[in-house]
Amino acid sequence: MGLRVVCPDLMGYGGTDAPRVPPEPISYYGFRKAATDIKELAQQLGSSTVILGGHDWGGAIVYRVALWYPELVTHLFSVCTPYRPPSKTFVPLEELVKTKLPNFTYQLQFGGKSVEEAVVSRQQIREFLNLAYGGRGPNGEVGFTSREGVRLDMLSKANDTVLVSKEILEYYADQYARNGMHGPLNWYRNREINFQEELALDKSTIDIPVLFIQAKKDAALPPEMSVGMEKSIPNLSKEEVDTQHWALWEAPEQVNDRANNDIAQLLRRFENIIAFAPAEGPDRKPTTTAVEAYQMEVESAALVRAAEDILSLTRMLKEMWLFGKLEVGGERAREVEEKREEVARGVVEGLGRVMGKETGGEGRSG
């Protein structure tokens, strides 16, 4: 499709900075800071607009970028993560887990101290990731559930996950080990600062085209969490994949096909939008489409040139008449007649095209 793809890490992951909190504020791991970073990255890359996509925390962030910087994002897609609009009332995670989202119990564990204190060395990080990615104990014991979190007592006992290869698991362990678990876990400690900062947002709806790819068996972000998304996203498309939470690993071809198909459709729609974008009149009210306005501008310029030709011809005829040079026949007369007919045809054709545009005749396509 000719698109440039850029995959940045979130703050605290991979090769990014991982500021300690404290002394640094938790806002470094907030949605607004992530949105601002993405906007700056786009500027550094020379992109005035972008298509954004993400999974899990990345999926949550792409919505927020569209809220904070609506002029930057033309389309977005999110895998697994449904849109939850900003709220005017803060609900602590503990209460949310008790009342509405018991599937977020693992976030209480990640946002607390137990994981960060127990998972320190590179080997412990590898063992933690192995459990999070589906590694099981010697007797088939489950090492992670969304309603309990990671079983830290199984860190050194689990068999390797079958979800990803050993090479990928080792690579992830290396990346996490750069700065430890403090940075990634801070994303589970940012709810209140996100709430406070988002009180400044003017709107909670997202008007651009959005694709949401739901993992049908996702226990952490179950399908019921996406109910009602269309109320806040009027231009929403939904797709499903028959996977659990790690959809990008479990069914990469399915996810890519759905995303690519949607992006291709969006690009075609974008081309159509360009072709039929409203052009504003002097009162800034839409009058016609951008392409039609351009065509009419070209045709109007042609009419002006034709009118100038008529004036020039008229002056020439007048001079020939006044000075007695107008001949009934001969080469000069034929030249004048051919010029007159050429100009007349141009004026008639130009007027016909413009009138066709104004009346909705043959000049209008579609």
Side-chain angles (χ1 to χ4, degrees), residues 129-207:
L129 294 175
N130 182 53
L131 292 174
Y133 298 153
R136 291 175 176 265
N139 298 313
E141 304 96 323
V142 175
F144 169 84
T145 67
S146 63
R147 298 192 178 217
E148 296 179 1
V150 170
R151 287 190 54 182
L152 298 175
D153 62 307
M154 288 178 55
L155 282 178
S156 61
K157 303 174 183 177
N159 298 315
D160 278 356
T161 175
V162 297
L163 181 62
V164 297
S165 67
K166 181 178 179 180
E167 290 74 20
I168 290 178
L169 188 59
E170 297 296 340
Y171 174 80
Y172 269 67
D174 288 339
Q175 295 302 304
Y176 273 77
R178 286 174 180 263
N179 295 299
M181 297 298 295
H182 179 76
L185 294 175
N186 277 333
W187 286 93
Y188 299 91
R189 301 161 179 162
N190 62 10
R191 281 181 55 79
E192 188 166 3
I193 190 63
N194 286 335
F195 164 76
Q196 293 172 355
E197 291 181 337
E198 289 175 356
L199 290 174
L201 287 170
D202 294 330
K203 58 185 297 187
S204 60
T205 56
I206 298 176
D207 300 322

Side-chain angles (χ1 to χ4, degrees), residues 184-244:
L185 294 175
N186 277 333
W187 286 93
Y188 299 91
R189 301 161 179 162
N190 62 10
R191 281 181 55 79
E192 188 166 3
I193 190 63
N194 286 335
F195 164 76
Q196 293 172 355
E197 291 181 337
E198 289 175 356
L199 290 174
L201 287 170
D202 294 330
K203 58 185 297 187
S204 60
T205 56
I206 298 176
D207 300 322
I208 59 174
V210 173
L211 169 66
F212 172 59
I213 301 177
Q214 174 72 66
K216 293 168 64 175
K217 301 175 182 177
D218 192 339
L221 299 168
E224 56 265 27
M225 288 186 64
S226 68
V227 174
M229 279 179 61
E230 62 278 356
K231 296 177 182 178
S232 300
I233 306 177
N235 202 351
L236 175 68
S237 300
K238 280 187 175 183
E239 296 283 354
E240 291 183 337
V241 288
D242 191 20
T243 71
Q244 300 183 56

Side-chain angles (χ1 to χ4, degrees), residues 43-151:
Q43 291 178 340
Q44 293 289 335
L45 294 172
S47 299
S48 58
T49 58
V50 297
I51 298 172
L52 280 183
H55 168 264
D56 199 270
W57 280 123
I61 288 169
V62 296
Y63 297 122
R64 264 47 193 182
V65 180
L67 290 177
W68 285 110
Y69 301 105
E71 76 286 352
L72 175 66
V73 188
T74 62
H75 312 84
L76 67 83
F77 65 92
S78 176
V79 182
C80 294
T81 314
Y83 176 59
R84 300 184 68 82
S87 174
K88 297 298 182 183
T89 304
F90 178 67
V91 180
L93 182 58
E94 292 81 359
E95 181 178 343
L96 195 64
V97 168
K98 290 179 181 178
T99 57
K100 295 182 179 180
L101 297 175
N103 48 293
F104 275 9
T105 301
Y106 75 97
Q107 294 194 10
L108 289 175
Q109 183 196 37
F110 287 10
K113 297 180 179 180
S114 61
V115 173
E116 189 168 350
E117 292 175 350
V119 182
V120 179
S121 69
R122 182 198 178 282
Q123 180 60 28
Q124 289 169 332
I125 290 174
R126 184 195 185 282
E127 293 166 353
F128 172 84
L129 294 175
N130 182 53
L131 292 174
Y133 298 153
R136 291 175 176 265
N139 298 313
E141 304 96 323
V142 175
F144 169 84
T145 67
S146 63
R147 298 192 178 217
E148 296 179 1
V150 170
R151 287 190 54 182

Side-chain angles (χ1 to χ4, degrees), residues 249-314:
W249 283 333
E250 295 177 62
E253 293 183 358
Q254 293 181 39
V255 173
N256 287 339
D257 286 345
R258 283 157 177 75
N260 289 340
N261 289 340
D262 195 75
I263 291 173
Q265 292 177 13
L266 292 174
L267 291 177
R268 287 194 293 270
R269 288 166 61 186
F270 180 72
E271 292 171 354
N272 292 335
I273 289 170
I274 290 297
F276 294 97
E280 295 179 344
D283 58 355
R284 300 192 66 78
K285 292 182 179 179
T287 57
T288 182
T289 70
V291 170
E292 289 172 338
Y294 173 76
Q295 291 173 339
M296 291 181 68
E297 182 178 342
V298 171
E299 290 159 2
S300 298
L303 287 176
V304 170
R305 288 193 299 271
E308 291 173 347
D309 287 340
I310 291 176
L311 290 175
S312 176
L313 179 60
T314 301

